[in-house]
Amino acid sequence: MVSWKSILAMRIDIITCLPELFEGPMNQSIVKRAQKKGLVELYIHDLRPFTSNKQKSIDDYAYGGGAGMVMMIEPIDRCISALKKHTDYDEIIFMTPDGEKLNQSTCNQLSLNKNIILLCGHYKGIDQRVRDHLITREISIGDYVLSGGELAAMIVADSLIRLIPGVLNDESSALTDSFQDDLLAPPVYTRPAIYNGWKVPKILLSGNKAVINDWRHEAAVKKTKERRPHLLN
Ligand code: ADE
């Protein structure tokens, strides 16, 4: 019998030359729980064993000269080919600052995939033939340059994993996140109702769900107008 878990579960393979970077962030909290529940299978692959040269190098000088080393195509191709032997991938994504910029709607869309590969770049760049022939999509987490694609891959993985049904205890909380309805999330409060003389808005203590929902919606619109007005257009 096919279990509901195997239908919902997602497989994420991350290719990197710095596998140790993932040990902490990918083994805590929600991401750890999702793996334990069998809702996500996360595999981190070290690129270096896929080199065939004696020095085990994965980068080389750029043709035509210039500063910075370039990641070689061969180890990446060998690693991706090895993975493809036993898994069909919906997307093979290269993390790069010049890719399409990540937003919530891209996360939602990517979370519908079954199997994806995230490839982390490093050094000055990656042989263009990898981008032309081996990958299906390029994603940036913002207009700034990180020292490698690892942190960006973790951000993508985290943002997808929390969207997998069953990962969050209260499933509605992913739907009320900022950006899910093109609105930033309204402010939230918890006990005590007064701290240092700073009060929680009275409406939130009223117990009237409809009034509270209206207040939250208005607060979300106000915040969005102030901070991300383009979302309202
Ligand atoms: N690698 C380096 N900088 C990056 C960025 N901003 N987004 C994705 N990958 C990157």
Short mmCIF file of all heavy atoms in Angstrom, two decimals, residues 164-232:
data_model
loop_
_atom_site.label_atom_id
_atom_site.label_comp_id
_atom_site.label_asym_id
_atom_site.label_seq_id
_atom_site.Cartn_x
_atom_site.Cartn_y
_atom_site.Cartn_z
N ILE A 164 5.86 21.55 3.43
CA ILE A 164 5.39 20.18 3.19
C ILE A 164 4.29 19.87 4.21
O ILE A 164 4.49 20.05 5.41
CB ILE A 164 6.55 19.16 3.33
CG1 ILE A 164 7.66 19.46 2.32
CG2 ILE A 164 6.04 17.73 3.17
CD1 ILE A 164 8.94 18.66 2.54
N PRO A 165 3.11 19.44 3.73
CA PRO A 165 2.02 19.16 4.66
C PRO A 165 2.45 18.18 5.75
O PRO A 165 3.07 17.16 5.46
CB PRO A 165 0.93 18.55 3.76
CG PRO A 165 1.25 19.07 2.40
CD PRO A 165 2.74 19.20 2.32
N GLY A 166 2.13 18.53 6.98
CA GLY A 166 2.48 17.65 8.11
C GLY A 166 3.74 18.07 8.83
O GLY A 166 4.03 17.60 9.92
N VAL A 167 4.54 18.96 8.21
CA VAL A 167 5.80 19.35 8.84
C VAL A 167 5.55 20.28 10.03
O VAL A 167 6.09 20.09 11.11
CB VAL A 167 6.77 20.00 7.82
CG1 VAL A 167 7.92 20.69 8.53
CG2 VAL A 167 7.28 18.94 6.86
N LEU A 168 4.71 21.29 9.84
CA LEU A 168 4.40 22.19 10.95
C LEU A 168 3.27 21.58 11.77
O LEU A 168 2.35 20.98 11.22
CB LEU A 168 3.98 23.57 10.42
CG LEU A 168 5.04 24.33 9.64
CD1 LEU A 168 4.53 25.69 9.24
CD2 LEU A 168 6.32 24.48 10.44
N ASN A 169 3.36 21.74 13.07
CA ASN A 169 2.31 21.18 13.93
C ASN A 169 0.96 21.79 13.60
O ASN A 169 -0.02 21.11 13.38
CB ASN A 169 2.63 21.44 15.40
CG ASN A 169 3.73 20.50 15.85
OD1 ASN A 169 3.89 19.42 15.27
ND2 ASN A 169 4.49 20.91 16.83
N ASP A 170 0.94 23.13 13.54
CA ASP A 170 -0.30 23.82 13.21
C ASP A 170 -0.19 24.21 11.75
O ASP A 170 0.45 25.19 11.39
CB ASP A 170 -0.43 25.08 14.09
CG ASP A 170 -1.63 25.91 13.68
OD1 ASP A 170 -2.38 25.47 12.79
OD2 ASP A 170 -1.80 26.99 14.25
N GLU A 171 -0.80 23.40 10.88
CA GLU A 171 -0.59 23.61 9.45
C GLU A 171 -1.03 24.97 8.96
O GLU A 171 -0.50 25.48 7.99
CB GLU A 171 -1.30 22.52 8.65
CG GLU A 171 -0.46 21.27 8.64
CD GLU A 171 -0.97 20.25 7.67
OE1 GLU A 171 -1.39 20.68 6.58
OE2 GLU A 171 -0.94 19.08 8.00
N SER A 172 -2.01 25.55 9.66
CA SER A 172 -2.47 26.84 9.17
C SER A 172 -1.39 27.90 9.34
O SER A 172 -1.43 28.94 8.71
CB SER A 172 -3.73 27.26 9.91
OG SER A 172 -3.41 27.56 11.24
N SER A 173 -0.38 27.64 10.18
CA SER A 173 0.59 28.70 10.40
C SER A 173 1.46 28.97 9.17
O SER A 173 1.93 30.07 8.98
CB SER A 173 1.43 28.44 11.65
OG SER A 173 2.29 27.37 11.44
N ALA A 174 1.67 27.96 8.31
CA ALA A 174 2.43 28.25 7.07
C ALA A 174 1.59 29.13 6.14
O ALA A 174 2.11 29.96 5.41
CB ALA A 174 2.81 26.97 6.35
N LEU A 175 0.27 28.94 6.20
CA LEU A 175 -0.60 29.71 5.31
C LEU A 175 -0.76 31.16 5.76
O LEU A 175 -1.10 32.03 4.98
CB LEU A 175 -1.98 29.05 5.22
CG LEU A 175 -1.96 27.62 4.69
CD1 LEU A 175 -3.35 27.00 4.79
CD2 LEU A 175 -1.47 27.60 3.26
N THR A 176 -0.53 31.40 7.05
CA THR A 176 -0.66 32.79 7.53
C THR A 176 0.69 33.48 7.62
O THR A 176 0.80 34.56 8.19
CB THR A 176 -1.35 32.83 8.91
OG1 THR A 176 -0.62 31.98 9.80
CG2 THR A 176 -2.79 32.36 8.84
N ASP A 177 1.72 32.88 7.06
CA ASP A 177 3.04 33.53 7.01
C ASP A 177 2.96 34.83 6.22
O ASP A 177 2.10 34.97 5.35
CB ASP A 177 4.04 32.65 6.24
CG ASP A 177 4.57 31.51 7.08
OD1 ASP A 177 4.43 31.56 8.29
OD2 ASP A 177 5.12 30.57 6.46
N SER A 178 3.91 35.71 6.50
CA SER A 178 4.07 36.85 5.61
C SER A 178 4.22 36.35 4.18
O SER A 178 4.77 35.28 3.95
CB SER A 178 5.35 37.62 5.98
OG SER A 178 5.12 38.50 7.04
N PHE A 179 3.72 37.13 3.23
CA PHE A 179 3.85 36.89 1.78
C PHE A 179 2.88 35.86 1.22
O PHE A 179 2.68 35.82 0.02
CB PHE A 179 5.29 36.48 1.36
CG PHE A 179 6.33 37.44 1.82
CD1 PHE A 179 7.22 37.09 2.82
CD2 PHE A 179 6.42 38.71 1.29
CE1 PHE A 179 8.18 37.97 3.26
CE2 PHE A 179 7.37 39.60 1.71
CZ PHE A 179 8.26 39.23 2.70
N GLN A 180 2.26 35.01 2.07
CA GLN A 180 1.41 33.96 1.50
C GLN A 180 0.22 34.54 0.75
O GLN A 180 -0.27 33.97 -0.18
CB GLN A 180 0.94 32.97 2.57
CG GLN A 180 1.95 31.89 2.90
CD GLN A 180 2.34 31.00 1.72
OE1 GLN A 180 2.00 31.26 0.57
NE2 GLN A 180 3.10 29.96 1.99
N ASP A 181 -0.30 35.70 1.22
CA ASP A 181 -1.40 36.33 0.48
C ASP A 181 -0.98 37.72 0.02
O ASP A 181 -1.77 38.65 0.00
CB ASP A 181 -2.65 36.38 1.36
CG ASP A 181 -2.34 36.92 2.75
OD1 ASP A 181 -1.19 37.38 2.95
OD2 ASP A 181 -3.22 36.89 3.62
N ASP A 182 0.32 37.86 -0.29
CA ASP A 182 0.88 39.14 -0.71
C ASP A 182 0.75 40.21 0.37
O ASP A 182 0.71 41.40 0.06
CB ASP A 182 0.25 39.63 -2.03
CG ASP A 182 0.84 38.86 -3.21
OD1 ASP A 182 1.94 38.29 -3.04
OD2 ASP A 182 0.20 38.82 -4.26
N LEU A 183 0.62 39.77 1.60
CA LEU A 183 0.60 40.72 2.72
C LEU A 183 1.68 40.31 3.72
O LEU A 183 1.93 39.12 3.91
CB LEU A 183 -0.76 40.68 3.44
CG LEU A 183 -1.96 41.29 2.75
CD1 LEU A 183 -3.20 41.09 3.60
CD2 LEU A 183 -1.74 42.79 2.49
N LEU A 184 2.28 41.28 4.38
CA LEU A 184 3.17 40.95 5.49
C LEU A 184 2.30 40.52 6.67
O LEU A 184 1.14 40.94 6.78
CB LEU A 184 4.02 42.17 5.87
CG LEU A 184 4.92 42.72 4.76
CD1 LEU A 184 5.76 43.88 5.28
CD2 LEU A 184 5.83 41.64 4.20
N ALA A 185 2.85 39.68 7.53
CA ALA A 185 2.06 39.17 8.66
C ALA A 185 1.82 40.30 9.67
O ALA A 185 2.69 41.16 9.87
CB ALA A 185 2.79 38.02 9.32
N PRO A 186 0.64 40.31 10.31
CA PRO A 186 0.36 41.33 11.33
C PRO A 186 1.17 41.06 12.60
O PRO A 186 1.68 39.96 12.77
CB PRO A 186 -1.14 41.14 11.60
CG PRO A 186 -1.39 39.70 11.28
CD PRO A 186 -0.45 39.34 10.17
N PRO A 187 1.23 42.05 13.52
CA PRO A 187 1.96 41.81 14.77
C PRO A 187 1.27 40.75 15.61
O PRO A 187 0.05 40.60 15.53
CB PRO A 187 1.91 43.16 15.49
CG PRO A 187 1.22 44.10 14.60
CD PRO A 187 0.67 43.38 13.42
N VAL A 188 2.06 40.01 16.39
CA VAL A 188 1.49 39.02 17.32
C VAL A 188 2.00 39.33 18.73
O VAL A 188 3.05 39.95 18.90
CB VAL A 188 1.86 37.57 16.94
CG1 VAL A 188 1.17 37.14 15.67
CG2 VAL A 188 3.37 37.41 16.81
N TYR A 189 1.23 38.92 19.71
CA TYR A 189 1.55 39.16 21.12
C TYR A 189 1.28 37.91 21.93
O TYR A 189 0.47 37.07 21.53
CB TYR A 189 0.67 40.28 21.70
CG TYR A 189 0.80 41.61 20.99
CD1 TYR A 189 0.05 41.87 19.84
CD2 TYR A 189 1.67 42.59 21.45
CE1 TYR A 189 0.17 43.09 19.18
CE2 TYR A 189 1.79 43.81 20.80
CZ TYR A 189 1.03 44.05 19.66
OH TYR A 189 1.15 45.26 19.02
N THR A 190 1.95 37.79 23.07
CA THR A 190 1.60 36.73 24.02
C THR A 190 1.66 37.28 25.44
O THR A 190 1.94 38.48 25.63
CB THR A 190 2.52 35.50 23.85
OG1 THR A 190 2.04 34.44 24.68
CG2 THR A 190 3.96 35.80 24.21
N ARG A 191 1.36 36.45 26.45
CA ARG A 191 1.29 36.94 27.83
C ARG A 191 2.65 37.49 28.31
O ARG A 191 3.68 36.99 27.85
CB ARG A 191 0.83 35.80 28.74
CG ARG A 191 -0.65 35.54 28.55
CD ARG A 191 -1.15 34.52 29.52
NE ARG A 191 -0.61 33.20 29.22
CZ ARG A 191 -0.95 32.11 29.91
NH1 ARG A 191 -1.80 32.16 30.90
NH2 ARG A 191 -0.42 30.95 29.60
N PRO A 192 2.70 38.45 29.15
CA PRO A 192 1.58 39.09 29.85
C PRO A 192 0.90 40.17 29.01
O PRO A 192 1.51 40.70 28.07
CB PRO A 192 2.26 39.73 31.07
CG PRO A 192 3.64 40.06 30.57
CD PRO A 192 4.00 38.97 29.60
N ALA A 193 -0.32 40.51 29.37
CA ALA A 193 -1.08 41.53 28.62
C ALA A 193 -0.49 42.93 28.82
O ALA A 193 -0.64 43.79 27.95
CB ALA A 193 -2.54 41.50 29.04
N ILE A 194 0.16 43.13 29.94
CA ILE A 194 0.86 44.41 30.16
C ILE A 194 2.27 44.09 30.68
O ILE A 194 2.42 43.33 31.62
CB ILE A 194 0.14 45.30 31.20
CG1 ILE A 194 -1.31 45.53 30.79
CG2 ILE A 194 0.86 46.64 31.36
CD1 ILE A 194 -2.12 46.33 31.80
N TYR A 195 3.27 44.67 30.02
CA TYR A 195 4.65 44.49 30.46
C TYR A 195 5.32 45.85 30.46
O TYR A 195 5.30 46.54 29.43
CB TYR A 195 5.38 43.53 29.50
CG TYR A 195 6.80 43.26 29.91
CD1 TYR A 195 7.10 42.35 30.91
CD2 TYR A 195 7.86 43.95 29.32
CE1 TYR A 195 8.40 42.13 31.31
CE2 TYR A 195 9.16 43.74 29.70
CZ TYR A 195 9.44 42.82 30.70
OH TYR A 195 10.74 42.59 31.10
N ASN A 196 5.86 46.24 31.62
CA ASN A 196 6.50 47.57 31.71
C ASN A 196 5.54 48.69 31.35
O ASN A 196 5.97 49.72 30.84
CB ASN A 196 7.70 47.67 30.76
CG ASN A 196 8.98 47.28 31.42
OD1 ASN A 196 9.00 47.03 32.63
ND2 ASN A 196 10.05 47.24 30.65
N GLY A 197 4.24 48.44 31.45
CA GLY A 197 3.26 49.45 31.05
C GLY A 197 2.93 49.39 29.56
O GLY A 197 2.07 50.12 29.08
N TRP A 198 3.60 48.50 28.79
CA TRP A 198 3.32 48.36 27.35
C TRP A 198 2.20 47.35 27.17
O TRP A 198 2.32 46.18 27.59
CB TRP A 198 4.58 47.87 26.60
CG TRP A 198 5.76 48.77 26.77
CD1 TRP A 198 5.77 50.12 26.79
CD2 TRP A 198 7.12 48.36 27.00
NE1 TRP A 198 7.04 50.61 27.00
CE2 TRP A 198 7.90 49.55 27.13
CE3 TRP A 198 7.77 47.13 27.11
CZ2 TRP A 198 9.27 49.54 27.36
CZ3 TRP A 198 9.14 47.13 27.34
CH2 TRP A 198 9.88 48.31 27.46
N LYS A 199 1.12 47.83 26.52
CA LYS A 199 -0.11 47.01 26.48
C LYS A 199 -0.31 46.28 25.16
O LYS A 199 0.02 46.81 24.10
CB LYS A 199 -1.32 47.93 26.70
CG LYS A 199 -1.39 48.47 28.11
CD LYS A 199 -2.61 49.36 28.27
CE LYS A 199 -2.59 50.00 29.64
NZ LYS A 199 -3.37 51.22 29.70
N VAL A 200 -0.89 45.11 25.25
CA VAL A 200 -1.34 44.37 24.06
C VAL A 200 -2.61 45.06 23.57
O VAL A 200 -3.44 45.46 24.40
CB VAL A 200 -1.63 42.90 24.44
CG1 VAL A 200 -2.33 42.16 23.32
CG2 VAL A 200 -0.35 42.18 24.85
N PRO A 201 -2.80 45.26 22.24
CA PRO A 201 -4.04 45.89 21.76
C PRO A 201 -5.28 45.19 22.33
O PRO A 201 -5.37 43.96 22.30
CB PRO A 201 -3.96 45.71 20.24
CG PRO A 201 -2.50 45.59 19.95
CD PRO A 201 -1.89 44.93 21.15
N LYS A 202 -6.20 46.02 22.83
CA LYS A 202 -7.38 45.50 23.56
C LYS A 202 -8.18 44.48 22.75
O LYS A 202 -8.66 43.49 23.28
CB LYS A 202 -8.30 46.69 23.90
CG LYS A 202 -8.33 46.99 25.37
CD LYS A 202 -9.53 47.88 25.66
CE LYS A 202 -9.38 48.46 27.06
NZ LYS A 202 -9.69 49.87 27.13
N ILE A 203 -8.32 44.75 21.45
CA ILE A 203 -9.13 43.89 20.58
C ILE A 203 -8.68 42.42 20.66
O ILE A 203 -9.50 41.50 20.66
CB ILE A 203 -9.05 44.39 19.11
CG1 ILE A 203 -9.93 45.62 18.96
CG2 ILE A 203 -9.42 43.31 18.12
CD1 ILE A 203 -9.94 46.22 17.59
N LEU A 204 -7.36 42.23 20.78
CA LEU A 204 -6.84 40.85 20.79
C LEU A 204 -7.24 40.10 22.06
O LEU A 204 -7.16 38.88 22.12
CB LEU A 204 -5.32 40.86 20.64
CG LEU A 204 -4.80 41.42 19.31
CD1 LEU A 204 -3.28 41.41 19.29
CD2 LEU A 204 -5.34 40.62 18.13
N LEU A 205 -7.66 40.86 23.08
CA LEU A 205 -8.08 40.22 24.33
C LEU A 205 -9.60 40.04 24.38
O LEU A 205 -10.14 39.51 25.34
CB LEU A 205 -7.64 41.07 25.54
CG LEU A 205 -6.17 41.53 25.54
CD1 LEU A 205 -5.90 42.44 26.73
CD2 LEU A 205 -5.24 40.33 25.59
N SER A 206 -10.29 40.49 23.31
CA SER A 206 -11.76 40.55 23.35
C SER A 206 -12.41 39.18 23.19
O SER A 206 -13.56 38.99 23.57
CB SER A 206 -12.27 41.47 22.23
OG SER A 206 -12.05 40.83 20.98
N GLY A 207 -11.70 38.23 22.57
CA GLY A 207 -12.29 36.91 22.34
C GLY A 207 -13.22 36.89 21.13
O GLY A 207 -13.74 35.84 20.77
N ASN A 208 -13.42 38.03 20.48
CA ASN A 208 -14.32 38.10 19.32
C ASN A 208 -13.51 37.81 18.03
O ASN A 208 -12.81 38.67 17.51
CB ASN A 208 -14.95 39.50 19.27
CG ASN A 208 -15.97 39.62 18.16
OD1 ASN A 208 -15.89 38.94 17.14
ND2 ASN A 208 -16.97 40.49 18.37
N LYS A 209 -13.63 36.58 17.53
CA LYS A 209 -12.80 36.11 16.40
C LYS A 209 -12.92 37.00 15.16
O LYS A 209 -11.92 37.32 14.51
CB LYS A 209 -13.21 34.68 16.02
CG LYS A 209 -12.44 33.65 16.78
CD LYS A 209 -11.15 33.31 16.02
CE LYS A 209 -10.12 32.67 16.94
NZ LYS A 209 -8.80 33.18 16.90
N ALA A 210 -14.18 37.39 14.85
CA ALA A 210 -14.40 38.18 13.62
C ALA A 210 -13.71 39.54 13.73
O ALA A 210 -13.02 39.98 12.80
CB ALA A 210 -15.90 38.36 13.38
N VAL A 211 -13.87 40.17 14.87
CA VAL A 211 -13.26 41.49 15.07
C VAL A 211 -11.73 41.36 15.06
O VAL A 211 -11.01 42.18 14.48
CB VAL A 211 -13.76 42.10 16.41
CG1 VAL A 211 -13.04 43.41 16.70
CG2 VAL A 211 -15.26 42.33 16.35
N ILE A 212 -11.25 40.29 15.68
CA ILE A 212 -9.80 40.08 15.72
C ILE A 212 -9.25 39.85 14.30
O ILE A 212 -8.24 40.42 13.92
CB ILE A 212 -9.45 38.88 16.64
CG1 ILE A 212 -9.72 39.26 18.10
CG2 ILE A 212 -8.00 38.45 16.47
CD1 ILE A 212 -9.60 38.11 19.09
N ASN A 213 -9.97 39.05 13.51
CA ASN A 213 -9.53 38.81 12.13
C ASN A 213 -9.49 40.10 11.32
O ASN A 213 -8.56 40.34 10.55
CB ASN A 213 -10.42 37.77 11.44
CG ASN A 213 -10.09 36.38 11.92
OD1 ASN A 213 -9.02 36.15 12.50
ND2 ASN A 213 -11.00 35.45 11.72
N ASP A 214 -10.52 40.95 11.50
CA ASP A 214 -10.54 42.25 10.81
C ASP A 214 -9.34 43.09 11.23
O ASP A 214 -8.66 43.71 10.41
CB ASP A 214 -11.83 43.03 11.14
CG ASP A 214 -13.01 42.45 10.37
OD1 ASP A 214 -12.78 41.61 9.49
OD2 ASP A 214 -14.16 42.84 10.69
N TRP A 215 -9.08 43.12 12.53
CA TRP A 215 -7.96 43.92 13.06
C TRP A 215 -6.64 43.43 12.45
O TRP A 215 -5.80 44.20 12.01
CB TRP A 215 -7.92 43.81 14.59
CG TRP A 215 -6.82 44.63 15.20
CD1 TRP A 215 -6.88 45.93 15.61
CD2 TRP A 215 -5.46 44.19 15.44
NE1 TRP A 215 -5.65 46.34 16.09
CE2 TRP A 215 -4.77 45.28 16.00
CE3 TRP A 215 -4.77 42.99 15.23
CZ2 TRP A 215 -3.42 45.23 16.37
CZ3 TRP A 215 -3.42 42.93 15.59
CH2 TRP A 215 -2.77 44.03 16.15
N ARG A 216 -6.50 42.09 12.42
CA ARG A 216 -5.25 41.52 11.88
C ARG A 216 -5.08 41.86 10.40
O ARG A 216 -3.99 42.20 9.95
CB ARG A 216 -5.25 39.99 12.06
CG ARG A 216 -5.00 39.62 13.50
CD ARG A 216 -4.74 38.14 13.66
NE ARG A 216 -4.27 37.87 14.99
CZ ARG A 216 -4.60 36.81 15.72
NH1 ARG A 216 -5.38 35.89 15.21
NH2 ARG A 216 -4.11 36.65 16.93
N HIS A 217 -6.21 41.79 9.66
CA HIS A 217 -6.12 42.08 8.24
C HIS A 217 -5.71 43.55 8.03
O HIS A 217 -4.82 43.86 7.24
CB HIS A 217 -7.45 41.79 7.54
CG HIS A 217 -7.40 42.05 6.07
ND1 HIS A 217 -6.70 41.24 5.21
CD2 HIS A 217 -7.91 43.05 5.32
CE1 HIS A 217 -6.79 41.72 3.99
NE2 HIS A 217 -7.53 42.81 4.02
N GLU A 218 -6.36 44.44 8.78
CA GLU A 218 -6.03 45.88 8.65
C GLU A 218 -4.58 46.15 9.03
O GLU A 218 -3.89 46.92 8.36
CB GLU A 218 -6.94 46.70 9.56
CG GLU A 218 -8.18 47.20 8.85
CD GLU A 218 -9.16 47.81 9.82
OE1 GLU A 218 -8.72 48.56 10.71
OE2 GLU A 218 -10.36 47.52 9.70
N ALA A 219 -4.12 45.47 10.10
CA ALA A 219 -2.73 45.68 10.53
C ALA A 219 -1.76 45.16 9.47
O ALA A 219 -0.71 45.75 9.22
CB ALA A 219 -2.50 44.97 11.87
N ALA A 220 -2.13 44.04 8.83
CA ALA A 220 -1.27 43.47 7.79
C ALA A 220 -1.21 44.41 6.58
O ALA A 220 -0.13 44.66 6.03
CB ALA A 220 -1.81 42.10 7.37
N VAL A 221 -2.36 44.98 6.21
CA VAL A 221 -2.38 45.90 5.06
C VAL A 221 -1.55 47.14 5.38
O VAL A 221 -0.75 47.60 4.56
CB VAL A 221 -3.84 46.28 4.70
CG1 VAL A 221 -3.87 47.40 3.66
CG2 VAL A 221 -4.61 45.06 4.20
N LYS A 222 -1.71 47.66 6.59
CA LYS A 222 -0.96 48.87 7.00
C LYS A 222 0.55 48.61 6.93
O LYS A 222 1.31 49.38 6.34
CB LYS A 222 -1.38 49.26 8.42
CG LYS A 222 -0.71 50.49 8.97
CD LYS A 222 -1.40 50.95 10.26
CE LYS A 222 -0.71 52.15 10.86
NZ LYS A 222 0.48 51.80 11.64
N LYS A 223 0.96 47.48 7.50
CA LYS A 223 2.40 47.17 7.50
C LYS A 223 2.92 46.99 6.07
O LYS A 223 4.01 47.45 5.72
CB LYS A 223 2.63 45.88 8.31
CG LYS A 223 4.08 45.69 8.70
CD LYS A 223 4.32 44.27 9.14
CE LYS A 223 4.64 44.16 10.61
NZ LYS A 223 5.04 42.78 10.98
N THR A 224 2.12 46.31 5.24
CA THR A 224 2.54 46.07 3.86
C THR A 224 2.66 47.40 3.11
O THR A 224 3.62 47.61 2.35
CB THR A 224 1.55 45.12 3.14
OG1 THR A 224 1.33 43.99 3.97
CG2 THR A 224 2.09 44.66 1.81
N LYS A 225 1.69 48.30 3.33
CA LYS A 225 1.74 49.62 2.69
C LYS A 225 3.02 50.36 3.06
O LYS A 225 3.66 50.99 2.23
CB LYS A 225 0.54 50.46 3.16
CG LYS A 225 -0.49 50.69 2.09
CD LYS A 225 -1.56 51.64 2.60
CE LYS A 225 -2.86 51.30 1.92
NZ LYS A 225 -4.03 51.73 2.68
N GLU A 226 3.39 50.24 4.33
CA GLU A 226 4.57 50.97 4.82
C GLU A 226 5.87 50.35 4.34
O GLU A 226 6.81 51.04 3.99
CB GLU A 226 4.57 50.97 6.36
CG GLU A 226 3.54 51.91 6.95
CD GLU A 226 3.29 51.63 8.44
OE1 GLU A 226 3.97 50.75 9.03
OE2 GLU A 226 2.39 52.27 8.99
N ARG A 227 5.91 48.99 4.34
CA ARG A 227 7.21 48.34 4.12
C ARG A 227 7.41 47.70 2.75
O ARG A 227 8.54 47.59 2.29
CB ARG A 227 7.40 47.24 5.18
CG ARG A 227 7.40 47.80 6.57
CD ARG A 227 7.70 46.74 7.57
NE ARG A 227 7.75 47.34 8.90
CZ ARG A 227 8.20 46.74 9.98
NH1 ARG A 227 8.65 45.52 9.89
NH2 ARG A 227 8.21 47.35 11.13
N ARG A 228 6.33 47.20 2.16
CA ARG A 228 6.43 46.55 0.83
C ARG A 228 5.26 46.99 -0.04
O ARG A 228 4.46 46.14 -0.46
CB ARG A 228 6.39 45.02 0.96
CG ARG A 228 7.47 44.37 1.76
CD ARG A 228 8.81 44.27 1.02
NE ARG A 228 9.66 43.34 1.70
CZ ARG A 228 10.24 43.59 2.87
NH1 ARG A 228 10.07 44.76 3.46
NH2 ARG A 228 11.03 42.68 3.43
N PRO A 229 5.11 48.29 -0.32
CA PRO A 229 3.93 48.74 -1.05
C PRO A 229 3.74 48.04 -2.40
O PRO A 229 2.61 47.84 -2.85
CB PRO A 229 4.18 50.24 -1.24
CG PRO A 229 5.60 50.48 -0.88
CD PRO A 229 6.03 49.37 0.01
N HIS A 230 4.84 47.58 -3.02
CA HIS A 230 4.70 46.95 -4.34
C HIS A 230 3.86 45.66 -4.28
O HIS A 230 3.26 45.26 -5.27
CB HIS A 230 6.08 46.66 -4.94
CG HIS A 230 6.84 45.60 -4.20
ND1 HIS A 230 7.60 45.86 -3.09
CD2 HIS A 230 6.93 44.26 -4.42
CE1 HIS A 230 8.12 44.73 -2.65
NE2 HIS A 230 7.74 43.75 -3.44
N LEU A 231 3.79 45.03 -3.09
CA LEU A 231 3.01 43.79 -2.97
C LEU A 231 1.52 44.06 -3.15
O LEU A 231 0.76 43.17 -3.51
CB LEU A 231 3.24 43.13 -1.60
CG LEU A 231 4.60 42.52 -1.33
CD1 LEU A 231 4.69 42.01 0.10
CD2 LEU A 231 4.90 41.40 -2.31
N LEU A 232 1.09 45.29 -2.87
CA LEU A 232 -0.34 45.61 -2.92
C LEU A 232 -0.81 45.92 -4.34
O LEU A 232 -2.00 45.96 -4.61
CB LEU A 232 -0.66 46.79 -2.00
CG LEU A 232 -0.43 46.53 -0.50
CD1 LEU A 232 -0.54 47.81 0.29
CD2 LEU A 232 -1.40 45.49 0.02
#
